[in-house]
């Protein structure tokens, strides 16, 4: 079970990184804060893949909520939300 979870988290992390880069390019590299976003990818990945109660319905009243106060890392949060299907993916690969 643990190996399956680790592989899931690694795959999720890699997808989040790709989503961050796609969104940064779509927004214009001068307005993206890549360092802040990339610095919390692993934390967000563990939370979204293993810790938080989530499902495919963002309106599910029993789901956990995630509050991010580190504004320069918002691309990581948006990338994770797009990875779980709560928001649409944008960027080079998704246009």
């Amino acid at each position: 079970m643990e190996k399956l979870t680790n592989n899931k988290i690694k795959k999720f992390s890699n997808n989040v990184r790709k989503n961050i880069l796609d969104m940064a390019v779509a927004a214009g590299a001068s307005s993206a804060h890549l360092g802040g976003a990339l610095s919390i990818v692993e934390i967000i990945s563990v939370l979204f893949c293993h810790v938080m109660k989530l499902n495919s319905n963002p309106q599910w009243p029993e789901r956990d909520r995630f509050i991010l106060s580190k504004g320069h890392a918002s691309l990581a949060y948006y990338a994770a939300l797009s990875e779980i299907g709560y928001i649409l993916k944008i960027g080079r690969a998704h246009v």
Side-chain angles (χ1 to χ4, degrees):
M1 178 69 175
E2 184 175 325
K3 185 172 182 149
L4 179 64
T5 302
N6 286 340
N7 288 337
K8 181 181 175 184
I9 292 169
K10 286 179 185 179
K11 183 178 179 182
F12 191 90
S13 293
N14 287 335
N15 290 340
V16 167
R17 284 186 196 93
K18 290 175 189 174
N19 291 341
I20 288 169
L21 295 176
D22 285 345
M23 286 188 268
V25 168
S30 63
S31 64
H33 298 282
L34 293 175
L38 293 172
S39 72
I40 68 163
V41 168
E42 288 77 13
I43 295 168
I44 282 183
S45 296
V46 169
L47 290 172
F48 276 73
C49 286
H50 188 65
V51 176
M52 294 174 63
K53 294 186 303 183
L54 301 168
N55 70 16
S56 60
N57 177 10
Q59 301 302 319
W60 181 45
E62 299 299 317
R63 78 186 189 289
D64 286 334
R65 275 50 171 193
F66 178 79
I67 298 171
L68 177 69
S69 63
K70 182 180 173 181
H72 284 112
S74 61
L75 275 179
Y77 183 40
Y78 298 145
L81 290 175
S82 71
E83 193 58 30
I84 64 170
Y86 280 18
I87 62 174
L88 295 175
K89 291 186 178 187
I90 58 169
R92 295 174 288 149
H94 312 293
V95 175

